[in-house]
Amino acid sequence: MEIWILLLVVLGWLVVRGFDNREARERMERQDEEISRLRNQIAAMEKAIAWQMAAVVAKAEAEKAAEEITIRPAAYRAPVAEPVAFVAPVAVPTEEVLAVPPPVAAAPVVAASVTGEFVAPEPVFREAEPVVAPAPAPPPPPPPLVAEQVFVAAKERESLEQRLGTNWLNRIGVTFVVFGVAFGLAYEVTHVGPVGRILMAFGVALVMLGGGLWLEPKAQYRVFARAGIGGGWALGFLTTYAMYFFPATQVLRSQAVDLVLLFAVGVGMVVHSLRYRSQVVTGLAFLLAFSTVTISQVSAFSLLASAVLALGLEFVCVREEWYGLEIAGVLAAYGNHFLWLDKVLESYGGPGHPFPLWGQSTGLLLLFWAIFRAGYCVRKPKSAAAEGMSGLVAVLNSIGVMTLMKYQSFHPEYAFRALLALGAVEMGLAFAMRGRRRPAFAVLVTIGSVLLVAAIPFRFHGVTWPLLWVLEGEALFVCGVVLRERLMRWLGMLVHLLVVGQMIAMHGEIVGGAWTADSALVATTFFVVAAAMWGNAEWLGRREAEPLGHDISPYAGTLMLSSFAAALCTVAGLWIVIPGWTLVLVWGLLALVLAEVGIRSRSMGLRVEGYAVLAVALVRLMVVNLSAAGTAGFGDVRLWAGLSVMAGCVALHLRLRAGADAVHALESQGVSEVVMWAASGLAMFLLYLEIAPAWLAVAWVGLALVLLEVGIRERSAGPRLQGYGALLGSLVWLVAVNFQSGAQAGWGDLRLWAGVGVVAGCLLFYEGIGRALEAASRERSLVGGAVMWCASALVSSLLYMELPERWLAAGWAGFALVLAGAALVRDGARIRSKALILAVMVVARGLTVNLAPVLFAGETTVWPQGWGRVAFFTAVGLLGAAVPVGFFLRRKALAERHWMGAVLEHPEQVFFFAVFALLAAWAPAEFHGGNLTMAWSGLGLAFFLVALAAGERSFRLSGLGLLLVGVAKLLVVDIWGLPQGERIFLFVAVGVALILVSFLYSRFGDRLKEYL
C-alpha cells in the first residue's frame, strides 16, 4: 500500500508543478511583453527624431531658395501712385528646373512715399532667371507600432509544439523515471542486491538533482532544470523510504532511523526549495513529508509531525502566495490524518467506537483548522484568481475538519454543540474580516451560516426543527437588511427555502392526504413560514429601502423569491386544512386577493403569485374535481367547483382590464387574455360534462354568442377569438356527433332541432360581427363569410337528411328563394353567391335524381307513385319565383367586391336559366315523338313572351333557340317518322308559332332595339 501512497504523492507533485509552471510561464510572458514594449517605444522615438530632423533640413533649404529669388528696383516713379496688392511668391511643388519663358515684365515693387502713400514703380523688363523650387515637405511620419500588436505576436510565437516540448515532455519524463525506479526498487532482482539497488537509485537521484542545479541558472533551461530538481528530490525520498519499507531493498533494520532520515530529506527539500522560491520542489517536499507521517506507526510522532508540517506549509504558502500548494497541503493534511485515523479505528471496532486517542485527534483537527483559517485571514491576495483559490482553501478546510470529526465521533449528542460553536466562530471571523477583505467575509459568513443551520437537526426534531430554521433565516435576513448585505439576505432566503423543501419532503404525505394528528401543526408551520417570508418581501425590505432613498431594485430578486416561497407555503397550508372541492374555491379567492393587493401596491411579484395560484387551482380542478363523477341536480360539486374557478378567472380578467394603468401592459393585455381563454375553455368543458350530447352544439354556440358580445363591448379581439373557437367547436360537434345519430320520427328529432339551433346561432353571430365596428374589415370579411357559408351548408345538410329524396331539389330551391329575399333586406355578395350556388345545385339534383330515372331507365310509374311531378314543379316554381327577386337585386349595387362579381350583378340570369334547363330537360321525360316537338316549341314561345315582358335579350334568345330546336327536330326527325296526320298538325302548329314570333318582332321592333 505504501508504494501507492508514494505514487499518489508524485501525482500531487505534478498538480502543484502545473500551478508553478503556469505562474512561471505567466511571469516570463509579462517580462517578454515589457521588453517588447520598451523596444517599440525606443524604435518609435528614434523614427520620430529622424523625421523631425528631416523636416528641419527641408524647411531650411526652402527658406534659402526663396531668398535667392531677386527682383530689380523701379527705374522711375509714376506721378500718381495707386495702391496695389502685394502678392507673395508661391513655391512651385516640383524639383525640376522650370523652362525659360519669353521676356516678361518684372513684378512691381510697392514703394511708400514720405506721406505714407503707395506709388506703383515703373515696370522693368528682364530675362526670367531659372527658378529652382524648394524641396517639398517630407511626408508625415508613420504611426509607431502598437504595443498590443507586438504582444500578440510574442504570444503567437509560443506555439503548441513549444509548450509541449518545454513543459509537458519533461514533466512526463521525470514522472516515468521516478515510477520506473520505484517499481525497480519494489521487485526482486537476482543479480543485483539491496545495497546495489539503493546505490543505483541514489545515483540516478543525484544525477537528476545535480543536472537540475547546473542548468537552473540558465533562463533557457530553467523549466527543464526545475523538473530535474523536483524529480531528484522525489527519487531520493523514495529511495530513503525503500531502505526500510521495501522488502527487496531493505538495508535498515530500524523503522525509527528510516523515518528520521525521511524527515531529514524532507527538511532538506523544503530548505532547498525556499532558496530557489520554487513551488514545485517545495510542494513535493511537503507532500513527501506528509506521506512519511502517514506510513509511520509511531502515534506520537505522527500527531506531532502532522501539526508541525501543517504549520510550516501554511507559513510558506502565505509568505510566497502559493495557493496551489496550499490546496494540495490542505488535502494532504486531512487526507493523511484520515489514513492514520482509519488504521487506529480499525483496531477498536471501526467508526462509531471510542478509542484512546480521540482527544488528541480532535485537538489536532482543530489545530489544523486553526492554522489554515489563520492563514486565510492574514493573507492579502493580489488578484481575483488568487482570491478564488484562497476561498477554495477555506471551504476545503471546513469540509475536512467537519468530515473527520464526524468520522471519528462516537458521541452524536456533541455534534450540535460542535457545529454551533464552530459556526459562531466562523461568523465572528467573518465580521472581523468585513472591513478588511470583502471576499473573505462572504466565504466565512456563508460557512458560518451553513454550520449554524446544520446544527439544529442534531438537537431538535419534529416541527420544532423547521421553526428554528425559520428564526435563523429571519435573523440572517434582518441582519442583511440592517447591514445592507445582499449576501446575508440571500442566505436568509435560502434558509427559508430549505425550510419549505424540508417540510414538503418530511410532511408531504400530510399535504393533500388524510387528516392526522400532526396536520394542524404542519399547516401552522406552513402559515408561519409564509408570514415570515411575506413580511420580509413586502414589509421589511420596503421599509428599509424607502427611508434610505435608494431604489428597491437591490432587493427585487431576493424579495420576489421570498414572496413566491410564501405563496407556495400558503397553498400547501390551505391544501392541508381545506377539504374536498372547496379547496379550488379557496385557492381561487387567494389568487384574487394576491392580484388585488399586487395591483393596489403596484407589486408585480404579488400579481404573478396570484396568476400562479390561479393556474394551480385550474390544474387541480381539471385533474381532480372535473375528473370525478358528477351528480344530478344542483348538488353537483363538480359543477360548483368549475363555476367558482371560472368566475375567478373572469373577475381577474375584468380587474386587470380596469386597472390597466397600475399594471404592466403585458399583464393588462396578455395575462388578462390568457385568463379569459382559460375561463372560456373551462366553460366549454363544463358544458361538455353537464349538457347532454344532443344539445351540446347548441350550448356551445350560445357560449360563442356570449363571448362575441363581450368582445364587442370590451372592444377586444381576445373574447371574439374565443367566440370563434366555441362556434367552431359547436360546428364540429354537430357534424361529428349529431349528424351521425339516427333521425327520429316526428317533431322529436333532436338532430333537426340541434341543427336549427346552431344555424340560428350562426345567423346571430353574423349579425354580431357586423356590429363589431372595431374589427378590421378583413376579419369581418373572412369570419363573416365563413360563418354564413357554414350556416348555408348546415341548412343544406339538414334538408338533405330530413327531406325525402324526390323533394330535396324543392327544398334547396325554397332555401335559394329565402336567401335571395334575404339579400334584398341586407345586400351582400355572400348571400347572393349562396343563393346562386343553391340554384345550380337544384338543377344538378333535378337532372340527376328527379329526371334521370325517367329519361334513361324508362320508369314510367315514377311520377305518380313518388309525387315526382309535384316535387319537380315545386322546385321549378320556387326557382321561377326567384327570377323577379333577381331583377330587384340587380338594381342594388354590391357593397363589396367579390370574385363572382360579374355573375352576382345579374342574379336573375342564373335563376332564369336554372328554370330553363329544368323545363327543357323535363320535356323529353314527359313527351315523346311529335308531342316533344310541340312541347319544345311551346316552351320556346313561352320563354320568348316572358323575355318580351322582362325586356331581357338573353331570355329572348334562349326562347328563340328552344323554338328553333323544335323546328330542327321537326325537319330532321319528325318529318320522316310520324304519320301523315301528325306530321300535318306539327307543321301547322310550328308554323303558327314562328309566324307569331315574327309578328312580335315586327310589332315590338323599336322596343327590341332598346334591349339589344
Side-chain angles (χ1 to χ4, degrees):
M1 176 179 178
E2 288 79 3
I3 181 63
W4 294 109
I5 294 175
L6 291 177
L7 295 180
L8 290 176
V9 169
V10 174
L11 292 177
W13 167 73
L14 290 175
V15 174
V16 177
R17 174 169 166 73
F19 286 113
D20 183 71
N21 286 344
R22 187 183 64 179
E23 294 177 359
R25 186 168 59 254
E26 291 177 355
R27 286 195 301 269
M28 293 178 64
E29 288 178 356
R30 287 195 297 268
Q31 292 175 359
D32 292 340
E33 291 172 358
E34 183 67 19
I35 293 173
S36 300
R37 187 180 63 82
L38 294 175
R39 289 177 177 175
N40 290 336
Q41 290 181 354
I42 295 173
M45 293 173 61
E46 292 176 350
K47 290 182 179 180
I49 294 173
W51 280 101
Q52 290 178 0
M53 293 297 298
V56 170
V57 173
K59 183 177 180 182
E61 293 179 354
E63 292 177 353
K64 182 178 180 180
E67 293 176 357
E68 292 177 354
I69 300 175
T70 57
I71 301 177
R72 297 181 181 180
Y76 63 93
R77 186 184 304 274
V80 179
E82 295 181 0
V84 295
F86 176 76
V87 181
V90 180
V92 181
T94 178
E95 297 181 357
E96 299 180 357
V97 179
L98 300 179
V100 180
V104 296
V109 180
V110 179
S113 62
V114 178
T115 59
E117 297 180 354
F118 292 93
V119 294
E122 178 184 2
V124 178
F125 292 93
R126 62 179 178 84
E127 295 292 333
E129 299 179 356
V131 179
V132 179
L145 294 176
V146 182
E148 285 78 0
Q149 299 176 357
V150 179
F151 297 161
V152 173
K155 290 183 178 180
E156 290 178 352
R157 286 197 300 267
E158 187 179 1
S159 62
L160 178 62
E161 179 184 358
Q162 290 176 325
R163 291 189 178 186
L164 180 63
T166 57
N167 295 331
W168 290 99
L169 291 184
N170 60 33
R171 187 184 311 175
I172 297 173
V174 170
T175 305
F176 282 1
V177 170
V178 174
F179 271 69
V181 175
F183 287 120
L185 292 173
Y187 293 98
E188 297 285 348
V189 180
T190 58
H191 59 278
V192 180
V195 178
R197 272 178 287 179
I198 292 295
L199 294 177
M200 290 173 60
F202 273 123
V204 175
L206 291 176
V207 169
M208 295 177 66
L209 181 61
L213 293 175
W214 180 62
L215 293 175
E216 201 276 338
K218 302 178 181 180
Q220 183 178 2
Y221 303 103
R222 185 166 298 160
V223 176
F224 178 81
R226 289 184 177 179
I229 293 174
W233 278 112
L235 189 55
F237 186 90
L238 180 64
T239 305
T240 305
Y241 172 81
M243 293 172 66
Y244 176 80
F245 290 95
F246 285 6
T249 56
Q250 188 177 21
V251 296
L252 295 178
R253 296 293 182 263
S254 174
Q255 180 184 6
V257 174
D258 192 56
L259 291 176
V260 171
L261 293 177
L262 285 174
F263 193 77
V265 173
V267 172
M269 291 175 63
V270 171
V271 174
H272 186 262
S273 64
L274 292 178
R275 174 185 175 186
Y276 290 100
R277 304 176 66 90
S278 175
Q279 185 175 190
V280 176
V281 181
T282 305
L284 181 60
F286 276 104
L287 291 178
L288 291 176
F290 274 112
S291 66
T292 304
V293 174
T294 303
I295 62 179
S296 174
Q297 303 299 324
V298 182
S299 300
F301 173 80
S302 300
L303 296 177
L304 180 60
S306 296
V308 173
L309 286 174
L311 181 61
L313 175 67
E314 186 64 20
F315 174 77
V316 172
C317 291
V318 171
R319 192 186 74 171
E320 302 295 335
E321 297 183 0
W322 289 344
Y323 303 107
L325 176 59
E326 187 178 15
I327 294 175
V330 172
L331 295 176
Y334 288 110
N336 288 332
H337 191 85
F338 169 76
L339 295 176
W340 173 84
L341 190 61
D342 184 65
K343 292 181 179 180
V344 174
L345 290 176
E346 186 178 356
S347 304
Y348 294 94
H353 294 80
F355 61 100
L357 297 178
W358 179 86
Q360 293 88 331
S361 178
T362 302
L364 180 62
L365 288 175
L366 293 177
L367 182 60
F368 282 161
W369 175 85
I371 291 172
F372 292 121
R373 183 64 77 240
Y376 177 71
C377 293
V378 300
R379 70 168 50 93
K380 295 180 179 179
K382 298 179 181 178
S383 64
E387 187 66 61
M389 295 180 65
S390 181
L392 178 61
V393 171
V395 174
L396 292 176
N397 185 27
S398 297
I399 293 175
V401 67
M402 298 310 303
T403 302
L404 292 183
M405 290 184 70
K406 171 65 177 175
Y407 183 71
Q408 71 174 12
S409 174
F410 56 89
H411 286 288
E413 63 275 9
Y414 293 165
F416 170 74
R417 300 176 184 177
L419 289 171
L420 198 65
L422 199 58
V425 174
E426 296 280 15
M427 293 294 286
L429 292 175
F431 282 98
M433 298 296 296
R434 183 168 177 250
R436 297 176 50 197
R437 225 172 83 220
R438 184 72 185 176
F441 166 76
V443 172
L444 293 176
V445 78
T446 302
I447 295 174
S449 302
V450 171
L451 293 176
L452 292 176
V453 170
I456 299 300
F458 287 95
R459 179 67 177 271
F460 302 95
H461 304 281
V463 183
T464 309
W465 167 9
L467 286 176
L468 291 176
W469 271 2
V470 171
L471 293 178
E472 286 188 352
E474 193 66 18
L476 287 172
F477 187 86
V478 172
C479 291
V481 173
V482 174
L483 300 176
R484 303 185 66 179
E485 289 289 348
R486 181 178 299 183
L487 175 62
M488 298 189 71
R489 294 196 305 270
W490 271 103
L491 290 173
M493 291 302 98
L494 290 177
V495 173
H496 287 162
L497 293 177
L498 183 63
V499 173
V500 176
Q502 185 269 342
M503 290 290 294
I504 294 176
M506 295 187 62
H507 306 285
E509 69 280 359
I510 297 178
V511 177
W515 184 268
T516 62
D518 297 333
S519 297
L521 188 59
V522 173
T524 303
T525 305
F526 273 119
F527 291 139
V528 169
V529 175
M533 291 184 172
W534 262 326
N536 295 339
E538 304 300 332
W539 176 76
L540 187 58
R542 294 178 181 273
R543 185 184 68 83
E544 292 297 330
E546 294 174 359
L548 294 176
H550 57 77
D551 188 25
I552 198 69
S553 57
Y555 296 85
T558 307
L559 298 182
M560 186 169 291
L561 183 63
S562 175
S563 187
F564 269 96
L568 177 61
C569 291
T570 305
V571 168
L574 292 175
W575 199 346
I576 296 175
V577 299
I578 303 298
W581 70 272
T582 53
L583 176 61
V584 293
L585 175 61
V586 176
W587 279 355
L589 292 175
L590 175 63
L592 292 178
V593 171
L594 290 174
E596 181 65 26
V597 175
I599 292 174
R600 292 181 178 273
S601 62
R602 297 182 180 272
S603 173
M604 179 179 288
L606 288 177
R607 297 196 302 270
V608 174
E609 292 161 23
Y611 309 150
V613 173
L614 184 60
V616 173
L618 283 170
V619 172
R620 177 175 175 81
L621 178 69
M622 299 297 294
V623 174
V624 178
N625 299 89
L626 297 184
S627 62
T631 58
F634 290 96
D636 188 359
V637 296
R638 180 180 66 179
L639 174 63
W640 290 112
L643 290 177
S644 62
V645 176
M646 185 180 68
C649 292
V650 175
L652 181 59
H653 167 77
L654 296 176
R655 185 64 183 93
L656 290 175
R657 298 280 295 183
D661 55 338
V663 299
H664 194 273
L666 181 62
E667 298 177 73
S668 61
Q669 298 176 7
V671 177
S672 63
E673 296 299 333
V674 171
V675 171
M676 195 62 190
W677 273 100
S680 59
L682 183 57
M684 291 186 65
F685 192 68
L686 286 175
L687 291 174
Y688 169 78
L689 294 176
E690 303 296 334
I691 301 297
W695 295 103
L696 181 59
V698 180
W700 279 356
V701 80
L703 176 63
L705 291 173
V706 173
L707 292 173
L708 177 64
E709 191 65 28
V710 172
I712 294 174
R713 292 183 178 275
E714 290 187 355
R715 298 182 178 274
S716 173
R720 289 201 311 270
L721 293 176
Q722 297 159 29
Y724 303 157
L727 181 61
L728 179 61
S730 173
L731 294 172
V732 172
W733 184 267
L734 181 67
V735 174
V737 178
N738 295 83
F739 284 0
Q740 303 302 321
S741 61
Q744 299 176 4
W747 295 97
D749 189 358
L750 297 180
R751 181 179 66 179
L752 173 62
W753 292 114
V756 171
V758 174
V759 170
C762 290
L763 296 177
L764 294 175
F765 204 89
Y766 179 77
E767 291 295 326
I769 293 174
R771 291 184 289 107
L773 300 178
E774 82 287 352
S777 59
R778 184 170 181 82
E779 178 187 350
R780 199 160 50 237
S781 175
L782 293 177
V783 179
V787 170
M788 286 304 298
W789 276 107
C790 291
S792 303
L794 288 178
V795 173
S796 302
S797 301
L798 287 173
L799 292 174
Y800 175 81
M801 289 184 291
E802 300 296 333
L803 291 178
E805 183 182 23
R806 300 293 180 180
W807 285 92
L808 180 58
W812 284 354
F815 186 35
L817 180 59
V818 172
L819 289 177
L824 284 176
V825 178
R826 181 171 181 174
D827 186 33
R830 302 186 191 92
I831 303 178
R832 289 192 190 186
S833 62
K834 295 169 181 61
L836 299 183
I837 291 174
L838 277 171
V840 176
M841 292 171 61
V842 171
V843 173
R845 181 73 181 183
L847 294 176
T848 57
V849 178
N850 296 81
L851 296 179
V854 182
L855 288 173
F856 302 106
E859 298 179 9
T860 56
T861 60
V862 171
W863 295 112
Q865 290 183 358
W867 289 79
R869 286 190 182 90
V870 178
F872 178 78
F873 282 105
T874 301
V876 173
L878 291 173
L879 287 180
V883 174
V885 179
F887 278 105
F888 286 108
L889 288 175
R890 190 173 70 174
R891 299 174 185 176
K892 299 183 65 174
L894 291 173
E896 52 188 326
R897 299 181 61 184
H898 197 271
W899 62 276
M900 297 172 58
V903 178
L904 296 180
E905 292 176 356
H906 299 278
E908 77 285 350
Q909 301 290 330
V910 178
F911 292 129
F912 172 80
F913 281 103
V915 175
F916 178 84
L918 289 175
L919 291 178
W922 161 79
E926 192 74 27
F927 303 100
H928 304 281
N931 294 332
L932 177 59
T933 303
M934 290 294 297
W936 277 347
S937 300
L939 287 174
L941 181 59
F943 285 134
F944 187 83
L945 294 175
V946 172
L948 289 179
E952 279 295 322
R953 181 170 181 267
S954 59
F955 295 180
R956 188 174 68 251
L957 293 177
S958 61
L960 183 60
L962 188 58
L963 179 61
L964 294 177
V965 170
V967 173
K969 183 177 181 297
L970 175 63
L971 297 175
V972 175
V973 179
D974 297 334
I975 194 172
W976 308 105
L978 291 177
Q980 184 67 24
E982 293 183 10
R983 187 165 53 240
I984 294 173
F985 177 76
L986 285 177
F987 271 98
V988 173
V990 174
V992 171
L994 291 175
I995 292 172
L996 181 59
V997 170
S998 177
F999 171 75
L1000 293 176
Y1001 266 104
S1002 299
R1003 174 69 178 80
F1004 300 102
D1006 296 336
R1007 185 176 176 182
L1008 293 177
K1009 291 179 181 180
E1010 297 177 1
Y1011 299 144
L1012 294 177

